[in-house]
Every structure is written in structure tokens, then in C-alpha cells.
Amino acid sequence: MLINIRYFNINPPTLFIFLLKIKKMSHLIAPSILAADFANLQSESEMLEKSDADWFHIDVMDGVFVPNISFGMPIINAIKKFSNKPFDVHLMIVEPQKYISDFKNAGADILTVHYEVCNHLHRTLQEIKAAGMKAGVALNPHTNINVLEDIIKDIDLVCVMSVNPGFGGQSFIENTYTKVAALKKLITKKNANTLIEIDGGVTSANARRLIDCGADVLVAGSFVFKSDNPLSTISNLKTV
Ligand code: DX5
Ligand code: ZN
């Protein structure tokens, strides 16, 4: 069935979430451009655009919250020209509430902030939604999912970090499976419409088990961009 999203005035992330919830769609794949060739971001973006990827995952790092610096709004704005897919922007920065409209203007469709840096998480999530984006919350590997119990219904997406944030190419932390299953239980118990995203060390070896535990969105950086054929790697993750 062809859905004219302009006619229904539904933005792409809303449509994805709706289709996932009515189980018309399998899990989503969000390749992380952190592992792309930064000297060729146009061709890398064009490759993702024609691939089976659902979203672009975009990692912003400030060198304060995480021990690495990646890029900011100008790069997001530059690659937005080459894509119509939703931009899933993962902020690994302190004081993310200061930059909500800047990331919206740069092209973010989903904006994810870290639980660990938000003193007023409820307010920040409302501000992200008021700016016209979906609101995500990322959890470091040491952060228990129970901290989200009182706010889960306000969250569009929980990004479960399956590595310590800051770098691509790290090994997957095995405790993630238990964590995802517990989060899925919480979402069901609270009757929330929250997507579960897994970020870090995702490969075809752990993708199926993650989905079975309740994951809706898989982020993959190195596994996609360092592979011989990123297009078929993305297709394989999509059909795993
Ligand atoms: C890590 C980032 C991830 C990273 C994933 O801080 O949030 O999105 O790009 O990269 P891989 O898939 O290589 O672990
Ligand atoms: Zn990320």
C-alpha cells in the first residue's frame, strides 16, 4: 500500500513508529555515519539513501561527556541535502537542552539526549517535541532502565548503549540482552509507545537475539562501513 505522507501530514519518524506498532514493518536499521569516510560524505550519504537503511544515525560528541569529539550541526546540515530519510541524532554532549533548535534547523528528525546529563529530563523532552522532533533518551551501559519508569510514556525512543559511548568499533556488552528484555517489559507494563534502539557493536551475530529481546532499531557503524559491501551488509541486517 502506498501512503502519501504529505497528504496525511505525517512526518517520516511518526510514520515509521506507527507502522512498527501495527506490526507492518520489521525492525529498523540505522547505520552510524561515524564510521563513514568523512572525506566522502556525499557519496557515503548517497549510498545510504539508496540502501535498505531506514534512518541515518548521527553521533555528536563534545569531548566533555565523552572522551572524543566528532562533529556538529554544519556536517548534519551538509549531508541533509543528500537524504530524505529520517535523521536520528544522538547527542553525546553536556547541556543538550541549549542546542535543541540548532539541531532541528540542521536537519534532526529524532533527537536523543543522554539520561546522565539531564537534570530536567522531562522538560528537555517536551522542548524537543515542541520543536517538532521525536524525543529519545540514551542510557549508558551502567544506567539501569528503572530510572525511566516515571517518564517512559514521554519517550519516543530509548537508545540502549551496548558499548561505552565515545567511539565506534568497540565490542558489544553482553549484559545488553537482559537490559533490553527488562526495558521491553517496562514499556509493555506502562503501555508506552516507545521504540528500543541498540547502539554499539551491533553485527549480524547479535542482531537476531537483540530483536527477539525487544529491539526495534539497530544502529551499526563499523559493521556496515568497514564491510566490503555496505549495501548488502545493510540488507542482511534488515532481513536477519
Ligand atoms: C558510540 C556511538 C555509536 C557508534 C556505533 O558512541 O554512539 O553510534 O557509532 O559504532 P559501532 O557500530 O562501530 O559500534
Ligand atoms: Zn550513537
Side-chain angles (χ1 to χ4, degrees):
M1 182 176 64
L2 218 116
I3 298 175
N4 185 335
I5 59 173
R6 280 186 211 288
Y7 180 78
F8 286 102
N9 196 22
I10 304 172
N11 65 17
T14 305
L15 183 67
F16 275 119
I17 291 168
F18 174 70
L19 290 175
L20 257 181
K21 292 301 162 199
I22 60 170
K23 305 242 180 283
K24 286 264 187 277
M25 246 168 114
S26 65
H27 59 279
L28 305 179
I29 302 298
S32 167
I33 62 149
L34 188 67
D37 177 358
F38 285 0
N40 291 296
L41 278 178
Q42 177 173 347
S43 59
E44 298 280 56
S45 303
E46 287 167 347
M47 181 278 290
L48 287 189
E49 191 60 18
K50 70 174 183 200
S51 77
D52 288 336
D54 298 284
W55 296 351
F56 281 46
H57 184 82
I58 299 173
D59 291 305
V60 177
M61 303 178 183
D62 67 353
V64 179
F65 176 58
V66 289
N68 193 12
I69 298 175
S70 57
F71 50 75
M73 303 82 165
I75 296 290
I76 301 174
N77 196 31
I79 61 174
K80 191 76 180 176
K81 292 186 200 82
F82 309 114
S83 174
N84 291 309
K85 295 187 178 180
F87 274 21
D88 170 34
V89 177
H90 175 193
L91 298 183
M92 285 160 275
I93 66 174
V94 296
E95 302 189 300
Q97 70 280 1
K98 285 187 177 172
Y99 308 100
I100 292 170
S101 58
D102 295 307
F103 282 105
K104 168 69 183 170
N105 294 337
D109 297 289
I110 302 146
L111 195 63
T112 295
V113 295
H114 264 265
Y115 170 82
E116 296 81 10
V117 296
C118 291
N119 288 333
H120 302 284
L121 184 60
H122 183 272
R123 178 183 295 147
T124 301
L125 296 178
Q126 303 315 314
E127 287 175 357
I128 292 172
K129 291 180 189 178
M133 295 175 284
K134 293 286 166 194
V137 176
L139 297 180
N140 272 346
H142 72 268
T143 305
N144 194 283
I145 58 110
N146 288 327
V147 298
L148 300 180
E149 178 150 15
D150 289 338
I151 196 156
I152 194 75
K153 286 194 82 128
D154 294 289
I155 306 176
D156 295 311
L157 172 145
V158 175
C159 175
V160 177
M161 292 306 301
S162 38
V163 297
N164 285 294
F167 302 93
Q170 304 178 79
S171 310
F172 179 83
I173 297 172
E174 293 285 317
N175 183 54
T176 308
Y177 298 119
T178 315
K179 200 166 171 172
V180 172
L183 177 58
K184 183 70 185 176
K185 230 171 150 180
L186 175 66
I187 291 169
T188 306
K189 182 178 99 182
K190 295 280 184 176
N191 202 19
N193 271 319
T194 313
L195 296 181
I196 301 177
E197 177 178 71
I198 316 299
D199 189 6
V202 171
T203 68
S204 53
N206 52 29
R208 185 69 251 167
R209 189 166 165 202
L210 286 166
I211 295 158
D212 290 343
C213 289
D216 301 296
V217 186
L218 301 178
V219 172
S222 318
F223 189 66
V224 166
F225 285 98
K226 311 295 180 212
S227 71
D228 290 339
N229 186 341
L231 284 174
S232 68
T233 304
I234 293 168
S235 302
N236 293 342
L237 282 173
K238 186 74 189 169
T239 52
V240 75

